[in-house]
C-alpha cells in the first residue's frame, strides 16, 4: 500500500509541471531558400549547409551556390554548383546551371584581380534620385534629369547623351538649336538594358551600366572609348572589383578637376536605396596582392585608406566645389571678328536671314548624314566580302552627299555674312 501511495504522489508531482513542447522541425532547405530569395545571404547559409549535409544531392546546392557568390566565396559557390550538376536532367536547368557557372567564373577572376581603390566617403541615397548627390567639378559636365531619368551634359552645354533603355542616343546644339537625337554607334541591345551614361572630359571615354549577360550579376558598369576611324565606340569592357559586384552597380562619373570618381551600388544598402562611394581616381590601377571579401564587398571604407585619419579636407573641398550650370541658350551667330548676333531679330537683311536659316537646316542634315555614314562604316568593318562589296557604293554615295552638304553650308554662311557686313 505504501508503495502505491508513493507512486501516486510521484505521478501527482509530475503532473504539476507541463510537459515540454517538442521543438518544431525546421525544413532547412525551405528556410535557406526563403532567406536567399530575400537577399539575407549570411542568414541563409547555415540552413542550406545543413540541408546539403542531410542530402548531398539536395536542390539546396543551387541556393547555396548563389549565397556563397554573394558572400564572395566563389570557390565554394563553384564547388556547390558542380556538386549539383549530376542531379540535373532537364535541358532548361542545365542551361541555367551553365549560365550561373559563367557568372561565378567571371566573379572569381574579378575577385582575384580586385583593385586597390581608396574610397574616401560613402552615403546612402534613394534609388530614384541618387545621381543628384554626385557633385562634379564644372569641367566634368553635369548629370541632369529628364522626367527622373539621368542623362549627361557636357561643360559647354552643347552635347548630351541619353539612355533609351536598350541603347544610348546623343544630340548636339548648333547655333543655339538642339538637333534630333541619334543612336550612338556600337552601343545597343535588343535583350538588355543600358542606362546611366557619363562621358569623361576627354570626350572619348564613356561609362554606362547594363544588365547584359554574362556579367557579375544584376547591373554592371562598363567603359568604352571612341574610335574616330569608324566614328563609333569600341566594344565595351566591364569594370572589375570593387566597382562591380554580384549586386546592382549603377553609375560611374569622373571628376577630372579633383581627380576623384563616384559610383553607386545597391550592395550594403537597404531596399530601394543605393550606396554612393566616392573614390580617388587612379589612372594606373593598383591591385591587391591578397584580396579579401571585406575589401571586395567594401565592408569598411577605412580599410582602403592610405592616409591616417581619412580625407576630411578633400571631402570638404568637394562639397564646396562650384557646380557651374550653363544656362545661356542665346544664339552665337558670327558675322565677322567684331560682330556676333545673339538673335535672329538682329539680322537687317531679309536675304541674309534666309541664308542663316538655310545654314541651320543644312547643319542638321549634316549631323544626320554623318550618323548614317558612321553606321555604314561600322557595318562595313564587320561585313563579309560580299557584304563589303554591297556596302562600298552606299558609303561612297553617303560621302559624296556629305561633301555636297558641306559646300552648301559654306555657301550659306558666306552669303549671310556678306549681306550683313
Amino acid at each position: 500500500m505504501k508503495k502505491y501511495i508513493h507512486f501516486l504522489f510521484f505521478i501527482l508531482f509530475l503532473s504539476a509541471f507541463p510537459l515540454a513542447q517538442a521543438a518544431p522541425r525546421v525544413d532547412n532547405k525551405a528556410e535557406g531558400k526563403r532567406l536567399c530569395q530575400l537577399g539575407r545571404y549570411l542568414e541563409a547559409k547555415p540552413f542550406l549547409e545543413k540541408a546539403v549535409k542531410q542530402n548531398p544531392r539536395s536542390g539546396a546546392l543551387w541556393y547555396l551556390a548563389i549565397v556563397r557568390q554573394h558572400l564572395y566565396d566563389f570557390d565554394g559557390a563553384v564547388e556547390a554548383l558542380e556538386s549539383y550538376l549530376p542531379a540535373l536532367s532537364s535541358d532548361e536547368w542545365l542551361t541555367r546551371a551553365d549560365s550561373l557557372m559563367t557568372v561565378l567564373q567571371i566573379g572569381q577572376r574579378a575577385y582575384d584581380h580586385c583593385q586597390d581603390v581608396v574610397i574616401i566617403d560613402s552615403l546612402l541615397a534613394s534609388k530614384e534620385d541618387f545621381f543628384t548627390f554626385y557633385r562634379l567639378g564644372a569641367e566634368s559636365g553635369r548629370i541632369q534629369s529628364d522626367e527622373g531619368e539621368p542623362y549627361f551634359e557636357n561643360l559647354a552645354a552643347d552635347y548630351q547623351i541619353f539612355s533609351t533603355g536598350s541603347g544610348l542616343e546623343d544630340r548636339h546644339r548648333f547655333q543655339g538649336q538642339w538637333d534630333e537625337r541619334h543612336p550612338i554607334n556600337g552601343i545597343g541591345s535588343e535583350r538588355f538594358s543600358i542606362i546611366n551614361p557619363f562621358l569623361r572630359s576627354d570626350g572619348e571615354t564613356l561609362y554606362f551600366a547594363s544588365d547584359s549577360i554574362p556579367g557579375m550579376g544584376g547591373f554592371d558598369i562598363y567603359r568604352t572609348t571612341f574610335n574616330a576611324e569608324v566614328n563609333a565606340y569600341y566594344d565595351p569592357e566591364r569594370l572589375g572589383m570593387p566597382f562591380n559586384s554580384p549586386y546592382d552597380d549603377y553609375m560611374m562619373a569622373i571628376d577630372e578637376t579633383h581627380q576623384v570618381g563616384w559610383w553607386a551600388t545597391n550592395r550594403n544598402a537597404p531596399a530601394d536605396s543605393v550606396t554612393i562611394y566616392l573614390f580617388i581616381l587612379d589612372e594606373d590601377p593598383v591591385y591587391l596582392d591578397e584580396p579579401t571579401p571585406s575589401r571586395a564587398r567594401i565592408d569598411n571604407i577605412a580599410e582602403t585608406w592610405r592616409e591616417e585619419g581619412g580625407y576630411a579636407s578633400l571631402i570638404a573641398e568637394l562639397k564646396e566645389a562650384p557646380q557651374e550650370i550653363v544656362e545661356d541658350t542665346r544664339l552665337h551667330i558670327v558675322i565677322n571678328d567684331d560682330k556676333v548676333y545673339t538673335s535672329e531679330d538682329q539680322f537687317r537683311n531679309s536675304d541674309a536671314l534666309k541664308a542663316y536659316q538655310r545654314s541651320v537646316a543644312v547643319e542638321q542634315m549634316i549631323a544626320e548624314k554623318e550618323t548614317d555614314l558612321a553606321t555604314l562604316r561600322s557595318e562595313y568593318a564587320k561585313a563579309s566580302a560580299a557584304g563589303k562589296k554591297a556596302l562600298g557604293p552606299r558609303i561612297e554615295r553617303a560621302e559624296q552627299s556629305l561633301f555636297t552638304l558641306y559646300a552648301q553650308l559654306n555657301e550659306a554662311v558666306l552669303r549671310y555674312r556678306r549681306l550683313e557686313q
Side-chain angles (χ1 to χ4, degrees):
M1 186 67 178
K2 278 186 177 181
K3 288 183 178 179
Y4 176 76
I5 293 171
H6 288 162
F7 179 74
L8 184 61
F9 273 111
F10 178 70
I11 295 299
L12 290 172
F13 174 78
L14 289 178
S15 66
F17 298 92
L19 293 175
Q21 296 292 321
R25 183 181 178 84
V26 176
D27 185 334
N28 289 307
K29 176 185 173 183
E31 182 63 7
K33 175 182 175 181
R34 183 184 72 85
L35 292 169
C36 175
Q37 291 175 332
L38 291 173
R40 294 159 62 178
Y41 303 110
L42 194 59
E43 297 174 62
K45 182 182 176 185
F47 289 102
L48 294 170
E49 288 177 339
K50 288 177 184 177
V52 171
K53 189 174 182 180
Q54 293 165 352
N55 178 4
R57 298 187 69 183
S58 167
L61 284 163
W62 175 265
Y63 296 98
L64 182 59
I66 294 172
V67 162
R68 287 175 173 173
Q69 172 202 12
H70 285 81
L71 296 177
Y72 290 67
D73 177 11
F74 294 98
D75 287 336
V78 170
E79 179 184 358
L81 186 56
E82 287 178 340
S83 298
Y84 188 44
L85 288 176
L88 302 177
S89 57
S90 72
D91 290 341
E92 178 186 353
W93 270 98
L94 287 169
T95 300
R96 291 178 64 182
D98 184 61
S99 296
L100 179 56
M101 183 64 76
T102 301
V103 169
L104 296 178
Q105 291 169 345
I106 290 173
Q108 180 65 76
R109 289 194 295 270
Y111 177 80
D112 290 341
H113 296 85
C114 184
Q115 192 172 328
D116 185 8
V117 178
V118 177
I119 302 170
I120 63 176
D121 198 13
S122 66
L123 62 93
L124 278 177
S126 166
K127 183 179 176 181
E128 297 299 319
D129 63 354
F130 71 91
F131 52 88
T132 63
F133 292 88
Y134 284 43
R135 295 187 61 82
L136 301 169
E139 294 82 357
S140 301
R142 292 164 293 283
I143 301 170
Q144 306 279 56
S145 174
D146 179 19
E147 297 183 356
E149 292 298 319
Y151 68 89
F152 170 80
E153 182 177 81
N154 67 349
L155 169 64
D158 60 7
Y159 181 67
Q160 297 173 337
I161 305 177
F162 302 83
S163 166
T164 66
S166 59
L168 298 179
E169 294 180 341
D170 64 1
R171 67 176 181 177
H172 295 80
R173 190 176 70 166
F174 299 103
Q175 303 285 358
Q177 309 273 341
W178 287 104
D179 68 355
E180 298 296 321
R181 297 185 188 182
H182 303 285
I184 293 181
N185 292 320
I187 302 176
S189 170
E190 296 180 356
R191 298 175 55 198
F192 308 115
S193 299
I194 296 176
I195 59 174
N196 301 343
F198 181 85
L199 185 68
R200 289 187 64 166
S201 59
D202 61 9
E204 297 181 351
T205 307
L206 177 67
Y207 296 91
F208 60 88
S210 176
D211 58 355
S212 62
I213 297 174
M216 289 192 206
F219 278 89
D220 292 327
I221 299 171
Y222 289 80
R223 174 178 55 208
T224 180
T225 54
F226 190 70
N227 181 353
E229 292 184 2
V230 297
N231 196 32
Y233 284 91
Y234 289 103
D235 290 340
E237 60 176 349
R238 183 190 313 103
L239 299 188
M241 289 187 182
F243 302 115
N244 283 321
S245 72
Y247 298 82
D248 288 321
D249 302 282
Y250 291 109
M251 175 179 273
M252 175 75 72
I254 303 299
D255 182 339
E256 312 282 356
T257 305
H258 302 96
Q259 286 294 288
V260 297
W262 307 72
W263 95 93
T265 172
N266 69 356
R267 80 186 91 166
N268 307 326
D272 298 322
S273 299
V274 298
T275 304
I276 300 174
Y277 289 109
L278 175 61
F279 66 98
I280 293 180
L281 183 63
D282 194 344
E283 298 288 5
D284 297 313
V286 177
Y287 297 92
L288 295 169
D289 292 331
E290 297 181 5
T292 63
S294 177
R295 286 296 300 270
R297 283 193 304 257
I298 317 174
D299 290 346
N300 182 0
I301 65 172
E303 289 182 344
T304 72
W305 293 351
R306 297 173 190 165
E307 293 183 11
E308 187 175 350
Y311 300 82
S313 59
L314 177 56
I315 294 170
E317 180 183 346
L318 291 168
K319 289 181 178 178
E320 296 173 1
Q323 305 292 295
E324 181 178 333
I325 303 295
V326 178
E327 298 180 346
D328 183 6
T329 59
R330 294 177 301 171
L331 299 179
H332 295 273
I333 308 168
V334 177
I335 304 301
N336 55 42
D337 291 341
D338 302 317
K339 187 187 297 184
V340 177
Y341 292 170
T342 57
S343 169
E344 292 185 4
D345 294 337
Q346 292 177 266
F347 278 94
R348 295 174 288 108
N349 185 294
S350 61
D351 289 335
L353 176 59
K354 290 177 182 178
Y356 164 71
Q357 292 172 337
R358 170 62 179 163
S359 73
V360 172
V362 172
E363 280 185 332
Q364 293 175 344
M365 292 168 62
I366 287 173
E368 293 172 3
K369 291 289 185 181
E370 286 179 338
T371 298
D372 293 341
L373 180 58
T375 301
L376 289 172
R377 286 172 173 166
S378 180
E379 292 175 358
Y380 184 88
K382 301 174 184 177
S384 62
K388 284 182 168 62
K389 186 176 181 180
L391 288 169
R394 292 177 61 189
I395 291 174
E396 290 179 5
R397 287 195 296 271
E399 290 174 340
Q400 185 58 50
S401 177
L402 267 176
F403 292 145
T404 301
L405 288 172
Y406 291 144
Q408 292 177 2
L409 175 62
N410 186 55
E411 180 183 351
V413 171
L414 290 175
R415 178 170 173 75
Y416 74 66
R417 286 179 176 174
R418 183 176 66 255
L419 292 172
E420 284 295 302
Q421 293 294 342

